Amino acid sequence: MAASTIGLATSLLPSTSAKRATATAISSAAFPSGKVSVFYKRFEIRSSKCPVGFSSEKIDSGALTASPLQLLKSSPANRYTKESSSIVVIGLDVHSTPVEIREKLAIPEAQCPQAITELCAMNHIEEAAVLSTCNRMEIYVVALSQNRGVKEVTEWMSKISGVSVSELCKHQFVLYNKDATQHLFEVAAGLNSLVLGEGQILAQVKQVVKVGQGVAGFDRKVSGLFKHAITVGKRVRSETNIASGSVSVSSAAVELALMKLPDSSFATARVLVIGAGKMGKLVIKHLVAKGCRNMVVVNRTKERVAAIHEELKGVEIIYKPFSEMLACAAEADVVFTSTASETPLFTKEHVEMLPTVRSEIGRRVFIDISVPRNVEPSVSDLETAVLYNVDDLKEVVAANKEDRLRKAMEAETIIQEELKKFEAWKDSLETVPTIKRLKNHCERIRDAELNKCLSKIGDGISGKSKEAIYDLSTAIVKKILHGPMENLRCDDTRTLDEILENMHALNRMFDLETDTAVLEQKVQAKMAQKRK
């Protein structure tokens, strides 16, 4: 459950010792200043083994079934009741988790709103978002309690996937607050992808926001986090050349196929692409860019293939329905699969029945970039075929290590700048409850004193006079609150530390609320929501 900071570094350097050795070699050759060594030191600290987040404190069986309010009151004061909400990410990705586990956790986009709803129905989860791609499954939550929140999410992941909690704990990583934020920024920037600078992941992060709009639980903090991550991803791509070369799973798949062809050319290879969705379309485009001018595309509908054909002039793209898939595979040297099928399209028996390819090709090449996988793993046992999945694309990533690290260093500088901006925005949200409570406190006093005044005057006062007295009371309160309100708002005249110091001072002076009471309100709100 290593908390991967840079996916590229993880894929290239499988062990900590290897990371140190490579970082030292690169820093001496390409970075005399030693910046790469510093980069790897930070990486090693964040990627060390860490607990999944389950509390080590003893909880009896009765406590596990108790209401969150009971848990709140029975927990040690400094252990839970004063713990503020945290941003947490619980994830499994291509760097730490094999595809056979990731595919069980994959959540279709259409089911993400339901997943958010289920997560936020848990006792200690306020907000949630789901990032599910072929290379990762990450759950982002705002948790009332870090330990209990992680426990609930992990158990939910086990429930929907059928993977045991103990097995999930072997592979998952858990990051909190600033580390969780930095991780998402690196994901959006393409630093945590199998292929450094991959562009598709930014589109997937954007889709999380699009799908989450209007869903209860995809609220201010999580929504703000993902929107800022999109800003980071755009800035990294516009200010660095991180997106140059092979920057997607699809392009890496095409390069891998090219590496496996004897003559390193698509000019004579017979190519079959199954699926013409987003991934399939990218595969077709990259094939054309690498010189492939003839291919067969199997898809459920002809219209999508026709649209791709119209876009790519001068390329022969032959459409075939799924009913002819095996017949097309029998005539292909290289088969790319990228569909949303939840069951394998090719079994070992299917492939075993296919005729052998030309002697100059050797074995039929299957490149499966789908999660769940489209090609049964046992196909790799056959002597007539060779199978690669998304995890095998690391072979393509292994080129140009030094150049990739330079790009990552440039991107990290941008990420650190944006991280400070987001943390300042997130911390400024702490003043919102204080502003509301101070206004309510003053309004209660104003209302009570106004009623006392009107009671003393009696019934002999006109409606116009009552209105004037009311306006006077509200004006006085408004003018008194103006100064404190201004000192709680973020602008260029004061630092965040000053704003938070003012907030704590007002809380103390007016005895507005304690941390425990704030948390208790949140838990009570969750219980009321459950009763609806």
Side-chain angles (χ1 to χ4, degrees):
M1 63 200 131
S4 304
T5 300
I6 301 297
L8 168 69
T10 308
S11 63
L12 297 181
L13 307 175
S15 67
T16 302
S17 59
K19 291 172 192 168
R20 291 197 185 98
T22 302
T24 304
I26 293 175
S27 62
S28 60
F31 300 94
S33 63
K35 289 182 179 178
V36 172
S37 297
V38 174
F39 174 80
Y40 271 101
K41 283 179 182 177
R42 188 183 69 78
F43 172 75
E44 287 178 22
I45 291 171
R46 289 189 65 222
S47 62
S48 60
K49 293 284 185 180
C50 62
V52 174
F54 291 2
S55 174
S56 59
E57 60 184 313
K58 294 182 178 178
I59 303 175
D60 60 35
S61 57
L64 293 175
T65 58
S67 73
L69 206 54
Q70 289 172 320
L71 289 173
L72 173 74
K73 293 175 179 177
S74 64
S75 300
N78 292 323
R79 178 67 186 85
Y80 180 61
T81 57
K82 293 189 177 181
E83 182 178 340
S84 60
S85 297
S86 302
I87 293 178
V88 185
V89 56
I90 303 98
L92 301 99
D93 61 24
V94 66
H95 310 297
S96 63
T97 312
V99 66
E100 54 265 25
I101 292 180
R102 296 201 313 275
E103 65 188 2
K104 293 178 182 178
L105 286 151
I107 297 178
E109 184 179 298
Q111 294 178 17
C112 285
Q114 179 184 344
I116 292 172
T117 301
E118 290 180 5
L119 287 163
C120 291
M122 296 173 184
N123 290 340
H124 302 92
I125 305 300
E126 288 186 283
E127 302 179 31
V130 178
L131 178 59
S132 179
T133 74
C134 62
N135 283 333
R136 66 186 69 252
M137 165 56 165
E138 297 178 354
I139 304 293
Y140 291 81
V141 297
V142 175
L144 292 175
S145 164
Q146 287 184 357
N147 288 350
R148 290 185 171 92
V150 172
K151 182 177 186 294
E152 289 173 352
V153 173
T154 303
E155 290 174 346
W156 177 83
M157 292 170 76
S158 175
K159 179 181 176 182
I160 66 164
S161 65
V163 179
S164 67
V165 169
S166 59
E167 185 65 22
L168 288 175
C169 291
K170 291 179 184 177
H171 303 285
Q172 74 179 15
F173 61 86
V174 179
L175 297 171
Y176 305 99
N177 296 316
K178 190 174 181 180
D179 285 340
T181 300
Q182 180 168 340
H183 173 76
L184 181 59
F185 287 1
E186 288 167 351
V187 167
L191 297 189
N192 197 265
S193 298
L194 189 58
V195 181
L196 182 67
E198 176 194 352
Q200 189 177 10
I201 185 61
L202 180 57
Q204 290 163 334
V205 172
K206 290 179 181 177
Q207 197 62 19
V208 171
V209 175
K210 183 179 179 180
V211 171
Q213 295 300 319
V215 179
F218 189 79
D219 294 327
R220 191 169 189 176
K221 283 186 180 179
V222 165
S223 174
L225 172 64
F226 273 80
K227 288 177 180 177
H228 205 114
I230 293 169
T231 299
V232 172
K234 289 179 177 178
R235 188 181 165 195
V236 166
R237 284 167 175 80
S238 65
E239 296 182 25
T240 73
N241 63 343
I242 198 168
S244 62
S246 295
V247 293
S248 71
V249 170
S250 301
S251 62
V254 171
E255 286 197 19
L256 178 60
L258 191 61
M259 292 165 60
K260 299 305 176 183
L261 290 174
D263 57 357
S264 297
S265 172
F266 285 116
T268 58
R270 299 174 298 178
V271 178
L272 171 62
V273 179
I274 300 176
K278 293 178 182 178
M279 295 284 281
K281 183 178 180 179
L282 286 173
V283 167
I284 293 169
K285 285 187 173 183
H286 289 299
L287 282 168
V288 173
K290 293 296 182 180
C292 184
R293 290 293 178 267
N294 301 278
M295 69 188 79
V296 176
V297 179
V298 170
N299 196 55
R300 298 193 184 282
T301 61
K302 186 176 182 179
E303 290 73 20
R304 183 167 286 179
V305 178
I308 296 173
H309 193 190
E310 181 65 24
E311 185 178 341
L312 302 173
K313 303 290 187 180
V315 180
E316 184 180 6
I317 300 177
I318 302 172
Y319 164 77
K320 294 291 183 181
F322 264 93
S323 59
E324 299 181 31
M325 182 185 69
L326 290 178
C328 294
E331 299 178 359
D333 300 319
V334 182
V335 180
F336 293 90
T337 62
S338 60
T339 79
S341 174
E342 295 185 2
T343 57
L345 301 178
F346 290 96
T347 65
K348 184 177 180 180
E349 290 72 23
H350 288 152
V351 178
E352 200 167 21
M353 291 188 296
L354 297 177
T356 57
V357 296
R358 295 169 293 163
S359 58
E360 59 268 30
I361 297 296
R363 294 188 292 172
R364 184 174 281 106
V365 179
F366 284 88
I367 299 186
D368 183 8
I369 57 174
S370 303
V371 177
R373 288 170 289 181
N374 289 168
V375 183
E376 202 171 64
S378 56
V379 167
S380 60
D381 297 334
L382 299 174
E383 294 183 359
T384 57
V386 57
L387 170 63
Y388 301 97
N389 59 41
V390 287
D391 289 356
D392 297 309
L393 297 181
K394 296 173 184 178
E395 184 177 346
V396 178
V397 183
N400 303 321
K401 295 180 185 178
E402 293 179 23
D403 183 48
R404 292 169 188 270
L405 285 173
R406 284 193 191 92
K407 294 173 184 176
M409 291 288 289
E410 293 172 13
E412 275 294 327
T413 301
I414 294 172
I415 287 172
Q416 291 304 314
E417 292 175 8
E418 294 295 337
L419 188 60
K420 290 178 182 177
K421 292 179 184 178
F422 177 79
E423 289 297 309
W425 172 82
K426 181 169 67 71
D427 289 342
S428 72
L429 295 180
E430 290 187 28
T431 66
V432 174
T434 295
I435 291 174
K436 290 180 179 178
R437 289 194 297 270
L438 183 57
K439 283 183 176 180
N440 291 336
H441 176 74
C442 292
E443 179 60 23
R444 285 193 298 270
I445 294 174
R446 185 202 65 77
D447 187 60
E449 295 304 316
L450 175 65
N451 289 331
K452 284 181 183 179
C453 175
L454 294 176
S455 177
K456 288 179 180 179
I457 294 175
D459 298 332
I461 187 171
S462 67
K464 189 174 181 180
S465 297
K466 284 184 180 181
E467 185 177 346
I469 294 172
Y470 175 84
D471 290 343
L472 174 66
S473 68
T474 56
I476 291 172
V477 169
K478 187 175 181 180
K479 289 183 181 296
I480 291 174
L481 285 176
H482 178 73
M485 293 299 103
E486 285 299 305
N487 282 277
L488 288 180
R489 291 191 175 96
C490 289
D491 56 32
D492 297 331
T493 62
R494 59 187 65 84
T495 66
L496 179 64
D497 287 342
E498 290 173 332
I499 293 170
L500 295 178
E501 185 178 338
N502 293 337
M503 180 192 75
H504 293 309
L506 284 170
N507 278 327
R508 289 193 302 272
M509 286 188 290
F510 290 94
D511 192 26
L512 297 177
E513 291 288 354
T514 64
D515 291 339
T516 303
V518 173
L519 184 59
E520 186 169 347
Q521 284 180 357
K522 290 181 178 180
V523 176
Q524 288 174 332
K526 284 193 70 65
M527 296 303 292
Q529 183 180 9
K530 280 188 171 185
R531 287 193 293 267
K532 289 181 180 178

